[in-house]
Amino acid sequence: MREDFDYDDDFASNDFDDEEEDDDFGMTFEEDLYLMIREKLRDTIQQFKGKYPAAMKKLESAVSSFKVNVKNTDDAKFYPLAAKLLSEHIKPLAQEYEEVQEIYDNMQSDITRFKNQRAHGFEGDLYLSE
């Protein structure tokens, strides 16, 4: 059960030598997928801050201020809900910025994987996979 997820705390340091090392160890599919979505957002923001400063600054602010507090919920329900709420949280920016709209649309393909684990997630320019 996960009651709080704080973007800054969980992604503040990325000093892993081997990111693949502990990928699935002790993590549910839902938690792993949610963390991957958050990581893709973080990497995309960092990669494109210089190219789209206004859009990425607002997106970064929205993502870093996003918090979920759901009590008594197991991972299978918490992480899909958190992903959906994060998506809804950034949707207003998608209407304001074309780049955020593309990120939002691409993020939806990863969110569908909560229901269909065999679905392919999105890997592309404005939603990074690495």
Side-chain angles (χ1 to χ4, degrees), residues 22-40:
D22 293 325
D23 261 357
D24 295 324
F25 185 72
M27 246 188 245
T28 62
F29 171 79
E30 291 83 6
E31 181 179 9
D32 189 39
L33 179 56
Y34 181 73
L35 292 176
M36 181 201 64
I37 290 169
R38 296 294 296 239
E39 185 175 1
K40 283 184 179 183

Side-chain angles (χ1 to χ4, degrees), residues 6-115:
D6 187 349
Y7 176 80
D8 293 326
D9 291 344
D10 290 327
F11 290 114
S13 65
N14 189 7
D15 56 356
F16 296 106
D17 291 332
D18 183 7
E19 293 179 10
E20 303 283 323
E21 187 177 60
D22 293 325
D23 261 357
D24 295 324
F25 185 72
M27 246 188 245
T28 62
F29 171 79
E30 291 83 6
E31 181 179 9
D32 189 39
L33 179 56
Y34 181 73
L35 292 176
M36 181 201 64
I37 290 169
R38 296 294 296 239
E39 185 175 1
K40 283 184 179 183
L41 284 172
R42 184 203 63 215
D43 291 349
T44 299
I45 291 166
Q46 294 305 313
Q47 178 74 26
F48 292 102
K49 259 185 178 176
K51 192 169 183 178
Y52 310 109
M56 293 303 118
K57 185 175 182 176
K58 285 193 176 184
L59 180 60
E60 181 176 39
S61 178
V63 171
S64 65
S65 70
F66 177 74
K67 301 210 185 328
V68 178
N69 187 3
V70 180
K71 297 180 189 224
N72 301 323
T73 305
D74 64 7
D75 286 358
K77 293 179 183 166
F78 175 82
Y79 290 105
L81 175 61
K84 180 182 177 200
L85 293 173
L86 174 60
S87 175
E88 290 173 3
H89 186 69
I90 67 171
K91 191 172 185 174
L93 290 175
Q95 297 169 356
E96 189 175 344
Y97 296 99
E98 183 178 312
E99 299 81 19
V100 178
Q101 179 67 52
E102 185 175 337
I103 292 166
Y104 172 84
D105 292 343
N106 297 336
M107 188 176 145
Q108 297 308 307
S109 62
D110 279 335
I111 290 174
T112 62
R113 293 179 66 205
F114 284 110
K115 291 181 181 171

